[in-house]
Amino acid sequence: CLCALAALLKETLKDALVPRAGTARVAKLLAPLDAVLEGFYNAILLHHFDSHHYTSPYSEATNNLISFVDLLEALLASRVEPELPLRCQRILFLKVSYVLNLISSSIPYVIKKKFILLLKKCVLYKSREDAESGSLFLQTPSLCEDMLALSNAVLQVVNLTWLNQIPLSGKSSYFGSSEAAPGDDSQVGSDQTVLRALSLVVLKALEFKIHNSATEAEIK
């Protein structure tokens, strides 16, 4: 079901000759599912990911989670117009802490990487109106609100020890350290794609927070 919905969303946006017509079709598709999809988000991402079901990157549970990431990507891509989006199109920004917790859990590296790259897409995201205006900063109120919520959550965990828990490869490299995991004698280089994505997420969150801070103390 997750795969089918994600594919349908992508095809609806891709096949529309007029962009706004495609957006209207997406809204018609998602509106009845809005509350259901938010419930999915809460239930799936608050799940206990340290269970044995997620120890293998090839398990059914892992594949289901990957399918859910694909759906979240499709929901992000469907948010192209400046009008107030549906809750399910905003949930990734408003409840990004679920994703941040999941990334630092013991789930397979392939899922962590997909979520990190999804966060990168979030911090780079612009509505069609913002993209066409050429402005360096977001003008759409709902997107500004959502991006500020995401930035606050990212900076909050980065200010703690979150980055130190993020692996930079499927084996032994960690953010800020090349120390091998216990019992792992192989030397594996860092995943540069994940390293760049994580760095960009932090920098964009910091940039957005500073740009939207009211006081000098807040900026400091």
Side-chain angles (χ1 to χ4, degrees), residues 1-218:
C1 288
L2 293 173
C3 290
L5 184 55
L8 187 58
L9 270 174
K10 292 173 183 176
E11 289 302 314
T12 302
L13 287 170
K14 187 171 70 175
D15 291 344
L17 297 175
V18 180
R20 286 187 182 274
T23 307
R25 289 181 197 168
V26 167
K28 189 175 181 180
L29 170 67
L30 292 178
L33 298 172
D34 200 19
V36 175
L37 289 173
E38 181 173 1
F40 268 8
Y41 185 93
N42 294 339
I44 291 174
L45 298 190
L46 278 178
H47 188 68
H48 185 59
F49 289 104
D50 295 328
S51 73
H52 67 279
H53 297 295
Y54 295 92
T55 54
S56 169
Y58 309 106
S59 68
E60 182 181 358
T62 299
N63 286 332
N64 289 341
L65 195 52
I66 289 174
S67 296
F68 189 61
V69 180
D70 292 338
L71 177 58
L72 291 176
E73 287 182 353
L75 287 170
L76 177 64
S78 72
R79 184 181 173 169
V80 290
E81 297 300 338
E83 288 82 10
L84 189 65
L86 294 167
R87 178 78 178 178
C88 64
Q89 294 171 304
R90 305 180 65 190
I91 194 70
L92 182 58
F93 293 85
L94 299 179
K95 294 187 176 180
V96 71
S97 59
Y98 294 13
V99 171
L100 298 173
N101 290 338
L102 187 147
I103 289 172
S104 61
S105 73
S106 60
I107 58 169
Y109 179 75
V110 62
I111 302 178
K112 292 177 188 268
K113 182 171 181 176
K114 282 185 73 73
F115 270 111
I116 289 169
L117 295 179
L118 179 58
L119 285 181
K120 174 187 169 184
K121 289 182 180 180
C122 286
V123 298
L124 294 177
Y125 184 76
K126 288 186 176 182
S127 68
R128 181 180 289 117
E129 187 180 73
D130 285 330
E132 289 174 352
S133 72
S135 172
L136 291 175
F137 300 104
L138 301 177
Q139 307 297 321
T140 310
S142 62
L143 187 54
C144 284
E145 179 185 337
D146 293 356
M147 199 68 79
L148 187 58
L150 183 145
S151 299
N152 284 335
V154 168
L155 293 176
Q156 187 175 9
V157 295
V158 166
N159 200 37
L160 301 173
T161 59
W162 183 76
L163 281 177
N164 296 333
Q165 303 170 49
I166 311 303
L168 291 180
S169 76
K171 291 192 177 179
S172 60
S173 293
Y174 279 73
F175 198 99
S177 171
S178 58
E179 184 179 349
D184 185 2
D185 296 327
S186 60
Q187 291 297 317
V188 181
S190 298
D191 186 331
Q192 296 301 304
T193 301
V194 170
L195 179 59
R196 286 193 297 269
L198 272 173
S199 300
L200 185 62
V201 166
V202 175
L203 288 171
K204 293 297 285 186
L206 192 59
E207 177 190 45
F208 194 82
K209 178 66 176 174
I210 289 174
H211 181 69
N212 290 275
S213 292
T215 65
E216 187 177 346
E218 232 185 346

